[in-house]
Amino acid sequence: MTDTYRIPIISRGRIIQPGEDAVEFKGRGGATFIAPDPHKHVQDLVLGNPVLLSDLQQTPMRDIIDFLAEAGKRLRLEDNPYLQESFALALRAGGLAEPILRGVYDDLPHMFDPVAMFAQIDSTVGVDYLDGWVPSPTGPHCRVRAVGTRQLHITAGNVPVVAALTIVRGALTKSDILIKSPSNDPLTANAIMRTLLEIDASHPVCKHVAVAYWKGGDEFMDQQIVRTSRIDKITAWGGMSSVKHIQKFLSPGIDLTALNPKFSMSVIGKEALESEAAMEEAAMGIAVIAGFYNQTACANTRLVYVESDTDDASLDKLAELGRKVVSAYGQLPPVMSTPFEAPNKDLEAELEAVALEDDFYTVEGDTLTGGVVVSRFPDRVDFYDQLNNRVVNLVPVADLLEVVKWCDDTTQTVGVYPESLRDRLLDPFALAGVQRLVPLQGGDPMHIFRDMHTLPPGMPHDGIEPLRRNVRWVIDHRPLDTAAALDIAAE
Amino acid sequence: MSEAVLERSGLSADEPGRWLDDGYERLMAMSWRDCLDVQLRIMQRRFDELVPQVAALEKLARREGITAIASFEDALPLFFDHRVYKSYPLSLIETRDFPRLTSWLNRLTTHDLTQMDLAGLTMIDDWIDRLDAFGMFIGHSTGTTGKLSFIPRSQTELHAFRNCHNEASRASSGVNPWNDPIETFFPGYRYGHQMAIKMVSTFNIPAAGGEAHYHTLYPGRISADLMSLAGRMQAAEDRGELERLGLDPALLKAREELIAQGQRREQDIEAFFNTLFEDFRGQRVKIGGTFGDLIRTARSGIEKGIKPEFAPGSFIGTGGGMKGFKDPPADWESYVKDFFGIETVSMVYGMSEGCGFAPRCSHGYFHTMPHTVPFLFDRDMKLLPREGVQTGRYAFFDLQAETYWGGFISGDQVTIHWEEDCDCGWKGPRVGPTITRFAEMEGGDDKISCAGTAQAYNDFMDFVSQVQ
C-alpha cells in the first residue's frame, strides 16, 4: 500500500491535482497526503458572486434527483476506484474496523435513493418552493421561494456518511457548498464528487461543489472564506471549540449551524431486572446501541440509567445485567461491531483505578472486548466523558425521571427499554434537551439496529431541520390588486 | 551480598527517612548504582509490610498476581497513578458523606481510620483537620481536573518530608533553613490542606523565624470545600439551583468572597510586592511565587520604574512551570533576577505524591537523591533502560513512605541523565532541564468526530488549535 496519497481539490466541476506548489501533510496511521496549496486556491473554493447560482436554481428538482440517483448507482465499493482508495485510507486511519467500514460504504447508494431524496426535500423545504415562487394561501399577493445559499461545511470524519449527506443536502437545497474535509476522512467527499464529475462535470450540481483539505485552525483560510461576501451559512460538525474558533470571523449575515459533539445514553426500567428473559433482551439492546460502529458515533450510548434500588441484592442483579451486556457484545455481527485491536490506555487506567474500589464500583470486561462499570450508588462515574471502546456505565436510580438532571443539549439519543417507560419520560426528556428516543426491544441485534436507524426521510437532525435552515426564504410582495388580477385570471 | 553493598553505600535499610539527617552532601556524593541493593531491600520490605495493610495495594497485587518482589521491575505494575488518589465518587464530596469518604481513604493507608470520630463534620477542611489530629498529614491536589486527589501521608513521614524539603531548599539556594531565619514572602494563601501550601506553611514558617516573618498575600486558608465543589457549584448556579445543593451558607459566602478576591488578584499582588519592595528594602529576603507571578510583577515594576534592592544572600524560590502563562520573556529567569536584583533562583523538582525533592544544581539539572528511586516509561508503559540519556514518563518509588504505598507514575515527561557526569559535581540521576506534561496524543491529528467524549473534544481542540 502506498504511503502517499494525492488529494486533489475539487473545484466546481474541475479537478485540481497537486502540482509544483503542492503541500504535504501528515495523516493518521503514518500516511502522507499531498494536496494543492489551499492558500493559493481560495478563489477556486468560494463563490464570490451568488447570482452564479442561477444555473442550479433553474434546474428542476427532478433533474437534480435523477443526476444524484445515477451517481448513487456508481457508488459501489466493488467497482469504484475512488471509493476503494478512500476506503483503504479510512481503514488505515483506524477509526472503524474493516467489516463495519465496509457496511457503512455499502450503505452509500441508499443515501442516493431517488424516492427517499424527493421525500426528504419535499417534507422539509417543499419542492415547489425550490422550483418556483409559491403564492401564500392566505395572501396570494405574496409569493415565497426557498433560494439556495453559499455554504461552508466543516465536516466530521468519524463516519464517512457525513460526506455523502453533505453533498446530497447541498444539491437538494440548490446550494453552493464548500466542504472542508477532515484529516481522518480526507477522501470520501472527494471520491463521491469524482464519481459525479465522471457522469457529467458540466451538470449544475457539479458546478456548485468544492472540496478541499486544509489544516483546522488555519486562520488565513478562515479569514479568506468566512466573509459575508463569500459565505451565507456554515455548518460546523464538532462543536464548542469549532464554534469558538469560527466565531472570530463571524459577522451578522453568516448563519452558523453548530452540530455539537453529542453524548448519548439509555434508560432501562425495573422490568429489565425482573426476569432472565427481560434481562437478556435489555442487555442485547444496550450492547447494540453502545456497540454499533464501535461506539464512535454521537448516537452511541455511554451511560445507562437503570431503575434499581441500591441494596446488595438489587446491585447484584445490576451486575448480572452488566455481565450480560459484555457477553452480548460478543454476539454482535462484525458488520455492526467488533472487538478492539488495541486497549484504550487512559480508559483502561480509569477502569483499573475504580476496580480497586469494591464499595463503589463493579467492573466487568475491558477496553478490548468492551466492558461495563456498575456504579453501586446513584451517580455516574466521574470519567463518564471518557467512556469509549464499548465501555458503558450502569447507574442505578430510584426514579428514571431523575435522569433529566443529567440531560442537556448534548444528549442526542436515548435508548428506552421497555417501551412501557416511554410515555412517562418523553415530554420531560424533550424539555431537558434530549433530541431522539429510540427503542431497544427485540433481542435480535440486526433487528434492534434496523429498528433504531429506520427513520422516514427528512427527520430533524440534532433537534434542528438543517435543510430548512440552509435555504434563504425570500418574499415576492406584489401590489394587492396584482394578486386580485392573478386570481381572476386564474379563474 | 547485600551486606557488602550496604557497606558500599553506608545507608541503613531501616530508616531511609533519616538519611538526610546529616545533610544532603553525603547523599549527593553517592553514586545511585551503589544504592540499588539497599533501595531494593526497602522496596521489598515495604511491599511485604504494606500489602496486608493497604487494601488498594493488596487488591492490585492480587489482580496482577504479584506475591513477592525480586527486582524493581516486579514492582512496577503496582505503581499507582493519579487516579488511585481520587478514585472516590465525586458525589461523596457533594453529599459530604464522611463515613464513606473515610472508608475510601482507609484503603490507602496502614492507619486504622475506622477508629476515627466523625461526629459533627460538615466540611472537607474540617475532615482533614480531624484526620491530621488522628495522626495523618493529608494533602489534596489543586483539583485542576475538577476533582481533588487526597495523598494519604501521615505524621510518620513528617520527619522525612521536612528533611527533604529543607535539604533540597538548602542545596538549591545555599541558605540554611534549619538555623538561618530569612524574611519570607509568598504571594498565595497562608494555610490550607492543598499539599504545596500545607508543606510551605508547615516548613517555611519555622524557617522564616516564626509567623511574624512569614508574609502571604492572603491571611486565610485555601478552602478544600470550594476547590472540590467549584465545578458543581457553577453548574448549579447556571441552572439557578445553587441553593438546592444544600451547602453550608458560610460556604456560599466564601465562594462569593473568592470570586471577588480573584477579580482583585492583580491589584492585590502588586500591592503585596510593593510593600515588600518598600518596607524590606535592603534586607535579606526569600521570595516565592509562580513563574507567572514573578514575571508579571517584574513587568509591571519595570513599567512603573520600580527598582527593588535586597541584601546579598536573598533568593527567589519558585517552580511549577509556566502553567499557561502566555508570552514569557525569552530568558525569563534573567529578566526576573535583573528586576528583583537577586542573584539566586532556587528550584526543586518534586510532586505531592512523594516526600522527596530534587534540588536544581548550578548547571540547571534536578538531582534525585537515593530515597527516591526514579524510573522512566515509554508511551507503551515499557520501562526505559536506566542508562545514558532517556526521555519518558516519570515514575518513582518513595522509600520514605512507610504508611502508604510509595510507587507512583506521574503525568510528567522528563529527560533523565543516568550517567553521573554533571559538571556541578553532584551525583545521582538528574532530571531536566525542562519538564513537560506527558501527552498521550501523537501530534498532527485534526480528526473531527460527532461523539461528545473527552477524547473527541480533545481531538477537536487539537484540530482548532494547530496552525500550519
Side-chain angles (χ1 to χ4, degrees):
Chain A
M1 189 197 295
T2 171
D3 270 356
T4 303
Y5 292 84
R6 297 168 66 81
I7 303 193
I9 284 178
I10 306 292
S11 167
R12 308 170 191 294
R14 289 189 303 136
I15 297 172
I16 304 173
Q17 291 289 353
E20 279 178 13
D21 61 349
V23 290
E24 205 181 281
F25 56 94
K26 295 276 173 219
R28 308 259 301 161
T32 301
F33 305 133
I34 296 177
D37 183 355
H39 289 198
K40 303 204 168 102
H41 290 280
V42 172
Q43 291 294 347
D44 296 314
L45 299 179
V46 297
L47 186 71
N49 179 1
V51 179
L52 293 177
L53 260 170
S54 63
D55 52 354
L56 189 54
Q57 189 188 29
Q58 284 161 23
T59 308
M61 185 60 68
R62 184 47 69 192
D63 184 51
I64 291 173
I65 288 177
D66 286 348
F67 181 65
L68 292 174
E70 179 57 31
K73 289 183 206 156
R74 303 185 188 197
L75 291 172
R76 298 189 315 172
L77 193 52
E78 55 268 36
D79 53 13
N80 184 320
Y82 305 123
L83 278 186
Q84 285 162 1
E85 190 188 22
S86 101
F87 178 80
L89 187 59
L91 194 59
R92 189 162 175 178
L96 291 173
E98 201 268 347
I100 302 175
L101 197 64
R102 191 171 287 280
V104 171
Y105 271 79
D106 285 345
D107 273 345
L108 283 180
H110 303 305
M111 299 182 66
F112 292 77
D113 173 69
V115 176
M117 282 191 292
F118 186 88
Q120 184 184 351
I121 192 65
D122 202 40
S123 67
T124 51
V125 179
V127 168
D128 291 347
Y129 287 87
L130 281 155
D131 278 351
W133 295 90
V134 180
S136 160
T138 50
H141 67 292
C142 284
R143 303 188 306 167
V144 172
R145 182 161 191 177
V147 175
T149 56
R150 296 167 301 169
Q151 306 165 6
L152 166 64
H153 292 263
I154 300 168
T155 57
N158 57 323
V159 189
V161 295
V162 177
L165 185 95
T166 301
I167 290 167
V168 169
R169 285 177 178 175
L172 292 179
T173 55
K174 298 192 178 183
S175 290
D176 185 275
I177 60 171
L178 164 56
I179 298 176
K180 184 231 167 285
S181 294
S183 78
N184 51 338
D185 182 24
L187 271 179
T188 305
N190 229 294
I192 295 171
M193 279 318 297
R194 290 174 79 173
T195 307
L196 263 71
L197 294 185
E198 277 191 357
I199 301 170
D200 179 4
S202 68
H203 193 281
V205 166
C206 293
K207 290 288 188 192
H208 290 287
V209 181
V211 183
Y213 174 82
W214 63 88
K215 192 99 179 150
D218 184 334
E219 300 226 343
F220 175 81
M221 292 304 286
D222 292 334
Q223 190 189 37
Q224 286 293 317
I225 292 166
V226 186
R227 298 179 179 183
T228 48
S229 58
R230 292 177 163 171
I231 287 291
D232 304 303
K233 312 265 185 183
I234 299 175
T235 301
W237 297 72
M240 202 65 88
S241 43
S242 151
V243 176
K244 278 187 182 153
H245 178 75
I246 284 289
Q247 259 171 352
K248 275 195 271 184
F249 306 98
L250 283 184
S251 57
I254 296 181
D255 184 21
L256 174 71
T257 299
L259 299 175
N260 299 8
K262 298 294 179 179
F263 198 91
S264 296
M265 65 186 201
S266 288
V267 287
I268 307 293
K270 60 178 184 306
E271 297 84 348
L273 303 178
E274 282 168 359
S275 75
E276 183 73 11
M279 212 186 262
E280 298 276 356
E281 189 183 9
M284 183 53 79
I286 295 166
V288 169
I289 199 169
F292 80 85
Y293 295 174
N294 278 8
Q295 216 179 21
T296 55
C298 23
N300 283 125
T301 280
R302 291 161 209 279
L303 288 158
V304 182
Y305 296 98
V306 185
E307 191 178 5
S308 166
D309 291 325
T310 50
D311 57 275
D312 282 347
S314 304
L315 291 171
D316 286 348
K317 279 191 179 173
L318 197 58
E320 177 62 25
L321 176 65
R323 280 190 290 277
K324 286 189 190 303
V325 170
V326 175
S327 132
Y329 284 140
Q331 299 166 41
L332 300 182
V335 64
M336 185 192 300
S337 194
T338 60
F340 292 81
E341 281 170 17
N344 177 327
K345 278 183 273 176
D346 272 353
L347 179 56
E348 201 68 53
E350 295 288 358
L351 295 183
E352 283 172 15
V354 296
L356 299 178
E357 302 303 328
D358 308 290
D359 293 351
F360 305 128
Y361 304 102
T362 308
V363 177
E364 308 281 349
D366 55 36
T367 64
L368 287 173
T369 60
V372 161
V373 184
V374 178
S375 292
R376 299 181 67 84
F377 58 99
D379 201 358
R380 58 192 184 185
V381 293
D382 298 321
F383 55 92
Y384 68 89
D385 63 353
Q386 294 182 43
L387 292 168
N388 263 314
N389 292 51
R390 306 202 300 199
V391 177
V392 294
N393 177 206
L394 300 191
V395 183
V397 290
D399 179 356
L400 287 170
L401 276 176
E402 287 172 27
V403 173
V404 296
K405 76 179 173 205
W406 287 295
C407 295
D408 58 24
D409 69 300
T410 68
T411 319
Q412 186 207 50
T413 300
V414 176
V416 179
Y417 181 92
E419 281 300 311
S420 54
L421 266 186
R422 184 183 288 265
D423 287 341
R424 188 160 66 91
L425 302 179
L426 185 57
D427 287 336
F429 275 30
L431 288 171
V434 171
Q435 289 133 47
R436 182 168 157 228
L437 277 79
V438 299
L440 297 179
Q441 69 180 15
D444 172 65
M446 280 317 284
H447 174 83
I448 300 169
F449 180 74
R450 268 195 295 271
D451 216 10
M452 72 176 60
H453 283 91
T454 306
L455 291 121
M459 281 282 107
H461 178 129
D462 288 4
I464 57 169
E465 295 191 303
L467 291 167
R468 224 177 146 69
R469 188 160 168 176
N470 273 348
V471 294
R472 179 183 295 111
W473 295 91
V474 184
I475 302 172
D476 173 39
H477 187 153
R478 297 177 177 237
L480 275 171
D481 46 359
T482 319
L486 280 175
D487 262 2
I488 292 159
E491 278 167 14
Chain B
M1 160 195 142
S2 19
E3 291 312 314
V5 175
L6 286 184
E7 268 172 35
R8 211 157 96 201
S9 74
L11 293 172
S12 151
D14 295 329
E15 291 183 301
R18 294 200 166 274
W19 288 353
L20 275 171
D21 281 4
D22 300 323
Y24 70 85
E25 289 84 351
R26 185 172 68 116
L27 297 185
M28 283 300 197
M30 238 171 240
S31 170
W32 65 272
R33 290 190 170 92
D34 288 341
C35 304
L36 292 173
D37 283 75
V38 68
Q39 288 175 332
L40 181 58
R41 241 169 85 155
I42 298 168
M43 206 192 271
Q44 287 165 330
R45 179 185 301 175
R46 294 281 184 254
F47 176 82
D48 294 341
E49 286 174 6
L50 295 180
V51 165
Q53 298 185 71
V54 176
L57 176 63
E58 189 274 334
K59 177 139 194 203
L60 185 56
R62 188 149 37 90
R63 197 170 69 198
E64 297 288 333
I66 295 171
T67 52
I69 291 178
S71 66
F72 291 130
E73 285 77 3
D74 288 350
L76 300 179
L78 300 179
F79 279 27
F80 288 166
D81 88 351
H82 65 100
R83 295 172 180 92
V84 174
Y85 292 125
K86 56 176 174 191
S87 63
Y88 61 88
L90 188 58
S91 59
L92 297 189
I93 298 268
E94 288 163 356
T95 55
R96 284 160 300 284
D97 186 340
F98 293 105
R100 298 188 81 185
L101 208 47
T102 307
S103 88
W104 168 78
L105 190 63
N106 195 48
R107 294 168 55 79
L108 294 169
T109 171
T110 61
H111 293 274
D112 182 6
L113 304 178
T114 60
Q115 301 305 308
M116 206 172 92
D117 175 21
L118 299 171
L121 287 177
T122 58
M123 307 279 272
I124 305 295
D125 279 314
D126 297 340
W127 175 63
I128 302 177
D129 284 343
R130 191 82 60 94
L131 283 161
D132 285 2
F134 192 75
M136 302 299 287
F137 190 81
I138 302 288
H140 63 75
S141 64
T142 49
T144 42
T145 56
K147 194 172 176 188
L148 297 188
S149 306
F150 294 98
I151 313 299
R153 196 158 294 153
S154 74
Q155 307 284 341
T156 314
E157 285 84 19
L158 197 53
H159 176 84
F161 194 23
R162 178 181 283 111
N163 270 359
C164 286
H165 174 271
N166 284 2
E167 286 302 308
S169 174
R170 185 169 73 86
S172 138
S173 71
V175 175
N176 191 339
W178 302 102
N179 60 14
D180 186 11
I182 184 165
E183 213 67 42
T184 300
F185 296 83
F186 177 63
Y189 288 89
R190 192 169 189 86
Y191 308 111
H193 293 301
Q194 192 258 316
M195 189 58 104
I197 305 244
K198 187 165 181 158
M199 174 184 82
V200 167
S201 56
T202 306
F203 303 138
N204 281 358
I205 292 174
E211 293 276 2
H213 305 282
Y214 186 67
H215 313 272
T216 53
L217 177 60
Y218 303 124
R221 82 175 174 186
I222 187 165
S223 162
D225 294 86
L226 281 181
M227 292 175 82
S228 58
L229 288 172
R232 278 299 160 104
M233 285 167 95
Q234 187 58 48
E237 184 172 54
D238 290 347
R239 293 169 80 108
E241 291 174 358
L242 191 51
E243 280 161 25
R244 260 199 245 169
L245 286 182
L247 299 174
D248 190 324
L251 194 59
L252 296 178
K253 189 154 172 288
R255 176 170 179 265
E256 280 169 27
E257 284 165 7
L258 188 74
I259 292 168
Q261 178 180 291
Q263 285 162 347
R264 283 195 321 265
R265 184 174 152 84
E266 300 241 337
Q267 297 99 285
D268 286 351
I269 208 162
E270 196 170 323
F272 172 78
F273 276 110
N274 284 340
T275 307
L276 155 71
F277 298 151
E278 291 313 315
D279 298 359
F280 294 85
R281 185 169 290 275
Q283 298 193 33
R284 202 171 61 107
V285 298
K286 168 185 176 178
I287 298 172
T290 64
F291 292 5
D293 291 337
L294 297 169
I295 296 167
R296 259 190 301 266
T297 301
R299 266 199 188 135
S300 101
I302 290 167
E303 249 172 51
K304 298 193 170 73
I306 294 169
K307 188 64 209 149
E309 268 181 51
F310 297 109
S314 295
F315 72 100
I316 290 168
T318 183
M322 286 295 165
K323 294 245 164 82
F325 184 84
K326 290 203 174 66
D327 192 24
D331 181 1
W332 73 271
E333 233 180 292
S334 300
Y335 181 80
V336 164
K337 281 185 195 173
D338 285 350
F339 170 71
F340 282 90
I342 292 176
E343 263 311 295
T344 307
V345 172
S346 148
M347 271 194 240
V348 302
Y349 177 57
M351 55 195 73
S352 304
E353 292 81 1
C355 296
F357 292 96
R360 189 173 68 162
C361 72
S362 53
H363 286 67
Y365 292 96
F366 301 91
H367 290 249
T368 61
M369 293 190 250
H371 43 249
T372 300
V373 191
F375 300 94
L376 285 181
F377 290 108
D378 70 7
R379 285 185 179 277
D380 298 320
M381 293 310 288
K382 297 235 165 41
L383 183 66
L384 290 168
R386 303 179 86 206
E387 61 189 29
V389 180
Q390 305 284 349
T391 299
R393 183 170 186 167
Y394 183 69
F396 62 87
F397 193 90
D398 178 6
L399 300 173
Q400 301 160 117
E402 290 179 47
T403 63
Y404 61 96
W405 181 235
F408 183 73
I409 300 169
S410 82
D412 287 355
Q413 176 167 295
V414 304
T415 296
I416 293 187
H417 301 251
W418 294 97
E419 307 313 325
E420 296 166 301
D421 51 3
C422 192
D423 291 334
C424 77
W426 289 346
K427 293 194 179 304
R430 65 186 198 274
V431 173
T434 53
I435 290 149
T436 55
R437 293 300 292 171
F438 186 86
E440 290 287 349
M441 288 284 298
E442 299 282 353
D445 277 354
D446 62 340
K447 64 171 189 165
I448 307 178
S449 152
C450 65
T453 56
Q455 179 67 45
Y457 182 79
N458 290 338
D459 290 351
F460 204 81
M461 286 301 282
D462 284 358
F463 163 72
V464 296
S465 59
Q466 280 173 8
V467 180
Q468 248 173 355

